[in-house]
């Protein structure tokens, strides 16, 4: 569970809902925030990802979440704070922010999967080598889908 893992690292969690109205609350607690986690759950909307999803695919339900996450990304980037994307969050960063793409993944939704993590640069190695979890989206990032400058 992501929340338990982050708390075990001594981090305080602030949950932001997916509505644009939540963004107005950012100033109330932003000075206490040390980083941003764009979490999983569902698909990215496809808005702003013309090369990412099948032609004609747009999920308007997720479009508002994408707008909120784009605002949060820009805000945290401007402040020089760390940003990590997990599952949907990684897809959002790859496609909506950096211009990469996605591809359909068959048999992936609501099944237990093992994810092998790659370590880069001067990682503090706080993450395990592999984790298990369920997936709630039909798309994934293949190495060939990564935006320029991103590494697996």
């Amino acid at each position: 569970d992501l929340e338990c893992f982050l708390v075990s690292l001594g981090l305080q969690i602030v949950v932001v809902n997916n509505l644009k109205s939540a963004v107005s609350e950012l100033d109330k607690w932003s000075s206490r925030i040390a980083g941003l986690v764009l979490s999983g759950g569902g698909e990215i909307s496809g808005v702003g990802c013309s090369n990412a999803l099948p032609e004609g695919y747009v999920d308007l339900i997720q479009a508002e979440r994408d707008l909120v996450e784009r605002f949060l990304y820009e805000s945290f980037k401007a402040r020089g704070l760390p940003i990590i994307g997990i599952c949907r969050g990684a897809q959002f960063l790859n496609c909506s922010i950096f211009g990469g793409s996605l591809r359909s993944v068959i048999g992936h939704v609501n099944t237990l999967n093992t994810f092998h993590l790659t370590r880069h640069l001067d990682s503090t190695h706080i993450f395990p080598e592999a984790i298990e979890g369920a997936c709630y989206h039909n798309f994934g990032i293949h190495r060939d889908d990564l935006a320029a400058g991103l590494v697996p």
Side-chain angles (χ1 to χ4, degrees):
D1 170 87
L2 178 61
E3 182 180 2
C4 291
F5 174 70
L6 294 174
V7 169
S8 76
L9 296 175
L11 301 174
Q12 180 181 2
I13 309 296
V14 177
V15 177
V16 178
N17 74 40
N18 297 332
L19 302 176
K20 288 185 284 189
S21 59
V23 171
S24 64
E25 301 290 315
L26 180 64
D27 289 337
K28 291 182 181 179
W29 41 261
S30 64
S31 64
R32 300 179 306 172
I33 302 297
L36 174 64
V37 176
L38 298 174
S39 65
E43 313 289 356
I44 62 172
S45 69
V47 174
C49 300
S50 59
N51 64 336
L53 301 171
E55 187 174 336
Y57 176 89
V58 173
D59 183 343
L60 296 178
I61 295 171
Q62 296 291 339
E64 189 163 29
R65 178 177 176 179
D66 285 359
L67 290 173
V68 170
E69 290 185 351
R70 179 176 292 281
F71 172 84
L72 292 171
Y73 170 82
E74 295 296 338
S75 175
F76 281 72
K77 179 183 174 194
R79 293 173 51 208
L81 295 173
I83 300 166
I84 186 171
I86 299 172
C87 289
R88 182 199 187 278
Q91 294 177 7
F92 175 77
L93 290 172
N94 184 57
C95 297
S96 299
I97 301 298
F98 297 108
S101 59
L102 299 176
R103 65 181 67 193
S104 180
V105 179
I106 307 299
H108 187 70
V109 176
N110 206 23
T111 61
L112 191 61
N113 298 280
T114 300
F115 302 95
H116 299 276
L117 307 179
T118 305
R119 301 177 198 278
H120 288 283
L121 306 173
D122 60 350
S123 170
T124 58
H125 303 289
I126 60 172
F127 297 104
E129 289 184 23
I131 57 173
E132 288 188 338
C135 296
Y136 302 100
H137 46 81
N138 294 296
F139 301 99
I141 305 169
H142 185 272
R143 286 181 186 266
D144 297 338
D145 301 326
L146 283 174
L150 297 182
V151 292

